[in-house]
């Protein structure tokens, strides 16, 4: 749950004499500040551009030979088909001579004919409306995900863009510069509502004891300003609990304490909680219980005896072995193919099994969590909804919430539950307390430890792991590492439970479908919230 065109840059005197493969000079780029989609318009070449005010930005350059020829020089043993599959342009974005972002265009950026024959390029980067065009998306990734917004802060900057050829075979091979140019980028301060900058006082009747701890208020007001300016988009709520007491509670973008927020896949983790309670009360033997104890799997398509061995644990750790991967839009088990069907459990159980051993390989698989919810609905008395209210929400004092449902009217554990941000904080604090709330053990300490632990390695980095529908990672602030387990949902929604510091942080956000939201939340945590409270 992924995401940028060449350009024309006028730079006086910019013709760099270094050679490309000893035969081609670096092409100068020019920047254009008019709508290059309108072919009738005369090009407007510029040396200065005002970000947030000027509407259009394109770059243009002329190569001495088509891109394919540069790719051949990099990997002469590869066929033309292989080169077009494994190679393309590499774009580098520099701000004030510092490399900020680099992107190797995927094979779908640009047509095959262009790569074989084209010499002249005009690539649109900034446009007042969303475009289905790789150049527009590349600029978006540079700005939103690649550090561009922070590098291009208020003032004057030198923006340089460089284009090289690359081929990614066994190793990444990058050629000499094909085109390069620079532009003066003027960045105006974005207008914002100044009333949103001061720290919001915590309103009475929160249900929490209010913390008397001091914290760096300047950092929080700086964060509030960034939210007001739209630097951190679509943030709805920030709640910080320290030592079990409410330290910060703030709302933005027309949200307030009583807003029921849609956290998307944050809601998956509640299925893990109910599973732990159901095991403790004996309604499910343990997490090693298998699917064949709940379903006649031979009645579903693509049956194989391997399906009989799929465990609840493998559903909790996204390692069931079903061919289902929400991060691969072409995958037959992708959740977007499940939602239009009239039976989501049947969709999941009809899927074939992969060659991976059950419990061995992580693949984000929403349909598997739907199956888990259906198992719970079968196993607990009076169904999942009443059981969750009796055993989790009521003991936590959570009365204002709303489920969504599957086509079979089962609570949707794919992520279909809405709570208040301050009640998500109760849920996070429950785990921080080892499963206890106000002296009562709601969830066993053993289940909490299993849930938050590193059950399976994820493919996102050296220190990314998954527990029982909990994510795990490590933040580094001022050279010190902080381990955290967290719930995560589309749009930037998070419940952070830190391991070695007495802190729970909730961020609710509604940037659904925007790939940079998770990176924005990471920056909020490392640059603002953690430095404030540590």
């Amino acid at each position: 749950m992924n995401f940028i065109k060449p350009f024309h840059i006028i730079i006086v005197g910019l013709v760099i004499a270094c050679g490309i493969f000893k035969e081609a000079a670096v092409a100068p780029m020019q920047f254009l500040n008019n709508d290059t989609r309108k072919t009738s318009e005369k090009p407007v070449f510029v040396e200065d551009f005002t970000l947030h005010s000027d509407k259009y930005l394109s770059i243009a350059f002329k190569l001495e030979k088509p891109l394919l020829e540069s790719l051949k020089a990099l990997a002469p043993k590869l066929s033309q088909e292989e080169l077009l599959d494994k190679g393309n342009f590499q774009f580098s974005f520099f701000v004030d001579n510092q490399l900020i972002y680099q992107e190797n265009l995927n094979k779908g950026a640009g047509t095959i004919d262009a790569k074989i024959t084209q010499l002249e390029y005009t690539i649109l980067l900034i446009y007042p409306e969303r475009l289905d065009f790789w150049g527009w998306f590349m600029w978006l990734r540079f700005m939103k995900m690649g550090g561009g917004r922070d590098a291009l802060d208020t003032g004057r900057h030198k923006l340089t863009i460089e284009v090289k050829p690359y081929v990614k075979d066994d190793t990444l091979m990058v050629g000499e510069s094909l085109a390069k140019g620079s532009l003066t980028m003027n960045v105006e301060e974005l207008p914002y509502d100044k009333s949103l900058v001061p720290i919001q006082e915590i309103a009475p009747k929160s249900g929490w004891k209010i913390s008397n701890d001091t914290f760096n208020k300047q950092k929080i007001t700086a964060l509030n300003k960034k939210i007001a300016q739209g630097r951190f988009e679509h943030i709805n709520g920030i709640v910080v609990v320290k030592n079990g007491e409410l330290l910060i509670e703030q709302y933005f973008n027309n949200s307030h304490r009583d807003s029921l927020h849609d956290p998307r896949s944050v809601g998956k983790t509640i299925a893990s909680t109910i599973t732990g309670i159901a095991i403790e009360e004996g309604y499910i033997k343990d997490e090693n219980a298998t699917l064949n104890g709940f379903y006649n799997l031979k009645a579903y398509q693509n049956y194989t005896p391997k399906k009989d061995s799929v465990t609840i644990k493998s559903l909790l750790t996204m390692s069931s072995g079903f061919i289902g991967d929400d991060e691969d839009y072409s995958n037959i088990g992708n959740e977007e193919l499940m939602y239009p069907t009239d039976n989501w459990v049947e969709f999941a159980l009809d899927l074939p099994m992969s060659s991976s051993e059950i419990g061995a390989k992580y693949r984000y698989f929403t349909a598997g969590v739907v199956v888990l919810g259906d198992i719970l609905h079968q196993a607990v008395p009076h169904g999942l909804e009443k059981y969750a209210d009796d055993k989790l929400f009521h003991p936590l004092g959570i009365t204002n919430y709303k489920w969504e449902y599957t086509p079979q009217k089962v609570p949707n554990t794919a992520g279909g539950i809405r709570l208040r941000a301050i009640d998500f904080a109760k849920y996070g604090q429950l785990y921080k307390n080892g499963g206890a709330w106000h002296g009562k053990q709601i969830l066993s300490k053993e289940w909490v430890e299993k849930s938050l632990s590193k059950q399976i390695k994820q493919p996102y980095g050296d220190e990314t792991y998954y527990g029982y529908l909990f994510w795990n990672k490590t933040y580094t602030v001022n050279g010190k590492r902080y381990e955290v387990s967290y719930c995560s949902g589309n749009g930037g929604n998070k419940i952070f439970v830190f391991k070695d510091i007495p802190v729970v942080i909730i961020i609710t956000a509604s940037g659904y479908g925007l790939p940079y939201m998770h990176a924005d939340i990471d920056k909020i945590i490392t640059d603002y919230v953690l430095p404030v409270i540590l």
Side-chain angles (χ1 to χ4, degrees):
M1 348 153 201
N2 303 329
F3 320 135
I4 317 176
K5 182 173 183 176
F7 40 57
H8 213 82
I9 308 171
I10 254 191
I11 315 247
V12 176
L14 179 67
V15 178
I16 302 175
C18 71
I20 294 180
F21 310 128
K22 300 181 180 180
E23 56 183 64
V26 178
M29 291 179 181
Q30 294 177 292
F31 289 96
L32 297 89
N33 186 9
N34 63 319
D35 189 351
T36 55
R37 300 180 82 203
K38 296 180 179 179
T39 57
S40 59
E41 285 195 5
K42 183 178 179 180
V44 179
F45 300 124
V46 294
E47 298 176 2
D48 291 78
F49 182 85
T50 302
L51 194 62
H52 310 309
S53 177
D54 293 338
K55 294 182 178 181
Y56 307 100
L57 182 65
S58 299
I59 56 173
F61 55 89
K62 183 176 181 179
L63 302 178
E64 291 194 357
K65 58 186 178 182
L67 172 62
L68 179 62
E69 297 305 311
S70 296
L71 301 180
K72 287 179 179 178
L74 278 175
K77 294 183 179 180
L78 296 183
S79 68
Q80 177 172 305
E81 183 179 2
E82 290 173 320
L83 290 170
L84 294 173
D85 182 64
K86 299 179 179 182
N88 207 328
F89 287 121
Q90 178 190 83
F91 278 79
S92 299
F93 291 78
F94 301 82
V95 177
D96 300 326
N97 299 318
Q98 180 180 355
L99 177 64
I100 302 299
Y101 179 70
Q102 195 166 72
E103 176 164 329
N104 298 325
L105 295 182
N106 64 44
K107 65 180 181 180
T111 66
I112 292 176
D113 183 64
K115 296 168 189 175
I116 295 173
T117 63
Q118 189 168 328
L119 297 177
E120 296 187 18
Y121 287 83
T122 300
I123 302 171
L124 197 152
L125 301 175
I126 297 177
Y127 198 77
E129 302 169 6
R130 177 177 177 139
L131 296 179
D132 186 16
F133 177 66
W134 62 264
W136 187 89
F137 281 106
M138 179 172 66
W139 180 265
L140 179 71
R141 287 193 286 270
F142 159 61
M143 289 294 290
K144 303 285 191 177
M145 301 174 68
R149 285 181 294 183
D150 296 311
L152 293 171
D153 56 2
T154 304
R156 290 170 63 86
H157 300 275
K158 177 185 175 184
L159 173 69
T160 302
I161 303 175
E162 183 175 26
V163 181
K164 296 180 179 180
Y166 87 90
V167 175
K168 178 69 166 64
D169 195 19
D170 294 330
T171 60
L172 176 65
M173 297 170 283
V174 181
E176 299 293 332
S177 181
L178 298 177
K180 187 175 183 179
S182 299
L183 174 80
T184 297
M185 185 70 73
N186 306 298
V187 185
E188 299 176 337
E189 184 174 72
L190 291 170
Y192 63 97
D193 184 348
K194 292 179 173 57
S195 69
L196 300 176
V197 173
I199 296 171
Q200 300 170 26
E201 291 188 12
I202 296 176
K205 299 181 180 179
S206 67
W208 292 82
K209 183 179 179 181
I210 307 303
S211 174
N212 292 319
D213 275 10
T214 59
F215 58 90
N216 186 335
K217 291 180 169 58
Q218 288 182 331
K219 276 279 187 183
I220 293 299
T221 56
L223 172 59
N224 291 353
K225 181 179 177 180
K226 293 287 189 182
I227 293 172
Q229 290 178 317
R231 163 59 184 88
F232 296 116
E233 299 176 271
H234 310 294
I235 302 298
N236 301 121
I238 299 176
V239 178
V240 179
V241 177
K242 186 176 182 182
N243 290 312
E245 299 175 349
L246 189 57
L247 181 69
I248 296 170
E249 182 189 10
Q250 299 198 121
Y251 299 99
F252 308 91
N253 293 313
N254 299 316
S255 292
H256 49 81
R257 177 182 285 172
D258 289 328
S259 297
L260 288 181
H261 186 77
D262 178 4
R264 301 295 171 92
S265 289
V266 163
K268 283 182 169 70
T269 314
I270 291 174
S272 173
T273 308
I274 302 304
T275 301
I277 296 172
I279 289 172
E280 181 74 11
E281 295 195 337
Y283 296 113
I284 295 175
K285 182 180 179 182
D286 57 33
E287 63 264 49
N288 295 311
T290 53
L291 286 187
N292 61 357
F294 302 94
Y295 302 100
N296 175 17
L297 295 172
K298 293 180 180 179
Y300 294 88
Q301 296 179 23
N302 298 301
Y303 172 74
T304 168
K306 187 176 181 180
K307 284 189 181 181
D308 294 330
S309 301
V310 173
T311 62
I312 287 177
K313 180 177 179 178
S314 71
L315 298 176
L316 290 165
T317 57
M318 301 284 186
S319 59
S320 64
F322 278 100
I323 294 181
D325 187 350
D326 296 338
E327 294 172 338
D328 178 0
Y329 289 102
S330 66
N331 187 280
I332 61 172
N334 187 284
E335 64 176 317
E336 299 303 329
L337 300 177
M338 174 186 72
Y339 294 125
T341 68
D342 58 10
N343 190 318
W344 298 354
V345 171
E346 185 177 285
F347 170 88
L349 297 180
D350 278 344
L351 291 169
M353 297 294 289
S354 70
S355 60
S356 299
E357 182 182 345
I358 295 168
K361 192 170 185 178
Y362 171 92
R363 286 289 182 268
Y364 196 81
F365 181 44
T366 292
V369 187
V370 171
V371 172
L372 177 61
D374 190 65
I375 290 172
L376 292 170
H377 190 66
Q378 296 178 45
V380 300
H382 309 297
L384 174 56
E385 184 170 2
K386 187 175 189 309
Y387 191 78
D389 188 72
D390 291 345
K391 301 297 182 178
L392 178 63
F393 297 130
H394 183 73
L396 289 176
I398 298 174
T399 58
N400 188 8
Y401 65 92
K402 183 179 180 180
W403 280 104
E404 295 176 359
Y405 301 90
T406 71
Q408 279 60 54
K409 309 304 180 186
V410 175
N412 177 16
T413 49
I417 188 166
R418 303 184 184 210
L419 280 77
R420 305 184 305 164
I422 202 164
D423 288 333
F424 282 122
K426 291 181 180 180
Y427 180 74
Q429 190 64 37
L430 173 69
Y431 278 83
K432 187 62 184 172
N433 294 345
W437 184 256
H438 290 173
K440 180 181 178 181
Q441 201 71 31
I442 295 174
L443 186 62
S444 75
K445 187 174 182 179
E446 178 187 9
W447 188 261
V448 169
E449 290 174 350
K450 287 180 179 180
S451 300
L452 302 184
S453 65
K454 299 174 181 178
Q455 294 282 349
I456 192 166
K457 183 75 180 66
Q458 293 176 309
Y460 310 125
D462 291 340
E463 297 188 40
T464 59
Y465 292 85
Y466 205 67
Y468 286 176
L469 298 177
F470 271 91
W471 304 67
N472 287 278
K473 71 190 304 180
T474 301
Y475 285 117
T476 300
V477 178
N478 297 326
K480 190 170 181 179
R481 293 156 54 85
Y482 299 92
E483 289 188 42
V484 64
S485 301
Y486 63 103
C487 318
S488 181
N490 189 337
N493 293 285
K494 309 285 180 179
I495 300 176
F496 292 104
V497 182
F498 283 86
K499 180 179 179 181
D500 298 318
I501 55 176
V503 173
V504 171
I505 300 170
I506 283 71
I507 297 181
T508 56
S510 54
Y512 306 119
L514 301 176
Y516 53 83
M517 286 301 299
H518 294 302
D520 274 3
I521 302 306
D522 287 341
K523 190 168 184 64
I524 287 174
I525 294 296
T526 58
D527 291 12
Y528 296 93
V529 181
L530 280 182
V532 158
I533 61 180
L534 292 174

